[in-house]
């Protein structure tokens, strides 16, 4: 029984240590995506206006996306049938928790205010045809943030997002 408890605790800690990204398919695969098997990556600067967060992560992101698409049967080509747009974003929201608690001493009540920030990173992947029509789009919501940045977290987000993409035929 004790061994089972220890194994269960280890499993729970391992799950907490490597967060699973939440995936949302924003635009399901359109029928026009079928039969298209070649792609080109479009630089994030062409997808987003303004400053890109995690600029240092884009060098890692492009090869991860190429590898993931290749595992789904897509091939990189200069005269590609698909354009793949990708970018990272951060949603930074202030959080404020007010907690009324009795003090440990007889000085009277006080109010504790905890100010925190919710930094949620997202990875967006969009596949379009050469005319710019969106054929598929997905979003991975992760714990990626400036304070918790990791290559492993980015790789798991890319993997989970590309698994939602239909395989090339």
């Amino acid at each position: 029984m004790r061994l089972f408890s220890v194994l269960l605790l280890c499993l729970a800690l391992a799950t907490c240590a490597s967060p699973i990204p939440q995936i949302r398919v924003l635009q399901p695969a359109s029928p026009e995506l079928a039969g298209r098997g070649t792609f080109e990556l479009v630089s994030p600067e062409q997808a987003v206006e303004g400053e890109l967060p995690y600029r240092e992560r884009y060098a890692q992101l492009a090869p991860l996306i190429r590898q993931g698409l290749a595992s789904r049967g897509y091939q990189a080509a200069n005269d590609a049938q698909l354009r793949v747009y990708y970018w990272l974003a951060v949603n930074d929201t202030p959080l404020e928790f007010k907690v009324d608690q009795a003090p440990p001493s007889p000085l009277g009540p006080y109010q504790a205010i905890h100010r925190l920030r919710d930094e949620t990173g997202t990875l967006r992947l969009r596949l379009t045809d050469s005319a710019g029509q969106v054929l598929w789009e997905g979003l991975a919501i992760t714990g990626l943030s400036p304070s918790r940045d990791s290559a492993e977290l980015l790789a798991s987000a890319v993997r989970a997002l590309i698994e939602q993409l239909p395989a090339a035929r």
Side-chain angles (χ1 to χ4, degrees):
M1 183 67 180
R2 185 178 289 176
L3 178 61
F4 178 72
S5 299
V6 170
L7 288 174
L8 189 60
L9 178 63
C10 289
L11 180 63
L13 289 175
T15 302
C16 294
S18 57
I20 300 170
Q22 298 174 11
I23 304 299
R24 287 192 206 153
V25 175
L26 303 173
Q27 170 83 32
S30 69
E32 290 84 18
L33 183 59
R36 297 177 191 236
T38 59
F39 72 92
E40 69 173 321
L41 290 181
V42 178
S43 71
E45 289 82 8
Q46 294 180 0
V48 177
E49 292 180 19
E51 185 66 27
L52 292 171
Y54 308 116
R55 188 168 290 280
E56 66 281 355
R57 286 291 175 205
Y58 284 100
Q60 176 193 3
L61 189 56
L64 286 172
I65 292 173
R66 275 191 202 95
Q67 181 182 15
L69 289 171
S71 72
R72 302 292 291 166
Y74 295 92
Q75 298 176 354
N78 290 336
D79 57 340
Q81 300 165 325
L82 298 171
R83 290 194 176 136
V84 179
Y85 295 88
Y86 61 98
W87 65 93
L88 297 166
V90 177
N91 182 15
D92 188 7
T93 309
L95 299 174
E96 192 171 280
F97 295 102
K98 296 180 181 180
V99 183
D100 292 328
Q101 296 179 345
S105 63
L107 297 174
Y110 71 95
Q111 185 178 42
I113 299 175
H114 304 283
R115 289 186 175 89
L116 306 170
R117 302 200 70 74
D118 178 24
E119 294 175 325
T120 305
T122 60
L123 166 64
R124 189 173 292 232
L125 191 64
R126 179 182 294 157
L127 276 66
T128 69
D129 61 10
S130 58
Q133 178 185 357
V134 177
L135 303 177
W136 184 89
E137 185 170 3
L139 177 71
I141 302 168
T142 69
L144 189 68
S145 72
S147 60
R148 186 180 164 174
D149 184 12
S150 83
E152 180 183 313
L153 186 57
L154 185 60
S156 72
V158 170
R159 239 185 341 269
L161 187 57
I162 289 182
E163 285 176 4
Q164 302 302 311
L165 185 64
R169 297 182 190 157

